[in-house]
Amino acid sequence: LGFLARTRDGKHGTAFDRFLVYNHASTPIEGGQVGLALMRTFDDLGASNLTEGAYSSTTIGLTGNWRHSLLGANFSIEGEANLNRTDEDVTGGPWAGTNHAVRLAGSWNLKAPLSFNFWSISKHYPLTNTAIQELSEDYIYVYQENPWAHPYMSNSRHFDVAVSRLPLGKFGELAAKAEWNRQLETLLDAPLEFGYAGGTLTLNPWDFLSLPVLRGFSVQTDLGAYRTLRGEDFAYSQDRVEVSLNLPQFNAVNLSLGYECLLTEEEAAGAHREQSRKAPFLRAVWAPTSGTTLNWRYEPKTLLETAAAGQGSQTGEESRHKLELRSTIGPRTSLIVRYEKLQGDSTSENMSVSYRTGF
């Protein structure tokens, strides 16, 4: 499998033509598969008379997956390791740099299914034609960035472990996750560290009360703690509690009524700031096909309160509409489209499209 494509037109010699070459080959092994990939991006030196600025990047990757039975339950593991060599100017300039991107994911299908993810990506690993995002020095990990689908970030090392479903007998089930991230290189005094710990408790009243009117209803509680640290000079925390009542499904649509509370605290350069956010909400989730969901959320009246040392407190109100489309378009590959509108003292709208896959 492979292709060659021109990704930039040199415009009659005013710049270099740029090409992308990709090749992948795989072979089955007992219980799985291994593969070798080559991706090369380069400027055509013969397409221009320019004497500097010619780019070249070569990545060699090893991929693999393996499945087996462990203690009577299916166990699977898959991952990839990529080694990259990038030269920002092959005709001169700085020396070429060597970069890496490694990831490993596994799952164990017990009665309480376990899964883990690990990745390590060097600071200057190329982001073009990859699913990797840049980790900025001022990054702060907050609730809006879903810990159950955390993006790959350059210049970081990540590890998480999760239990996707822990049965609680006739009462319901529990899901939980913990993760840790650390910046690999920094120009500041200490590296950035951030993480999450939380879970979801789902109770089904029908299972232990046996009242016909409760059939199809469930009560869900989400708890989450987000932390971002940089040495002793900066600490940012956000704690989240959400309680919702999920109504019986109707025409593949799940409706929920709930209440969310977010408490944020920040310590920076000796200054302390707190903010609370409390919002009732209506949520609708529609799954028209397998692997595709449309999620709509409306918060009619969100109460905001901010307090800073020596400045007293301020309050405000806003309303929010949020629409999100998630679609699985291949193995470990998904497309996410988000739209959000906030109305308060002013009105803001934003829309984002993201594509998630392997490196």
Side-chain angles (χ1 to χ4, degrees), residues 183-249:
Q183 188 180 28
L184 297 180
E185 298 180 40
T186 180
L187 298 176
L188 303 180
D189 294 336
L192 191 67
E193 295 184 79
F194 53 98
Y196 164 86
T200 300
L201 173 65
T202 303
L203 300 177
N204 303 307
W206 162 258
D207 291 339
F208 52 91
L209 293 179
S210 299
L211 297 176
V213 70
L214 297 177
R215 187 186 296 272
F217 284 86
S218 65
V219 178
Q220 183 172 304
T221 302
D222 293 310
L223 302 173
Y226 300 79
R227 298 292 184 266
T228 304
L229 304 170
R230 187 184 291 280
E232 299 180 356
D233 297 329
F234 180 81
Y236 190 99
S237 67
Q238 187 179 70
D239 298 315
R240 174 178 177 265
V241 179
E242 178 186 293
V243 179
S244 61
L245 173 65
N246 303 320
L247 281 61
Q249 188 181 78

Side-chain angles (χ1 to χ4, degrees), residues 165-178:
R165 182 180 179 273
L166 176 62
L168 302 177
K170 66 179 182 179
F171 297 103
E173 61 186 44
L174 176 69
K177 183 173 185 179

Side-chain angles (χ1 to χ4, degrees), residues 120-142:
S120 177
I121 307 170
S122 59
K123 182 176 182 179
H124 299 293
Y125 192 87
L127 307 183
T128 304
N129 301 315
T130 73
I132 300 171
Q133 301 177 15
E134 182 180 6
L135 175 63
S136 62
E137 290 285 0
D138 59 355
Y139 176 81
I140 296 177
Y141 193 18
V142 293

Side-chain angles (χ1 to χ4, degrees), residues 122 161 295:
S122 59
V161 60
N295 191 324

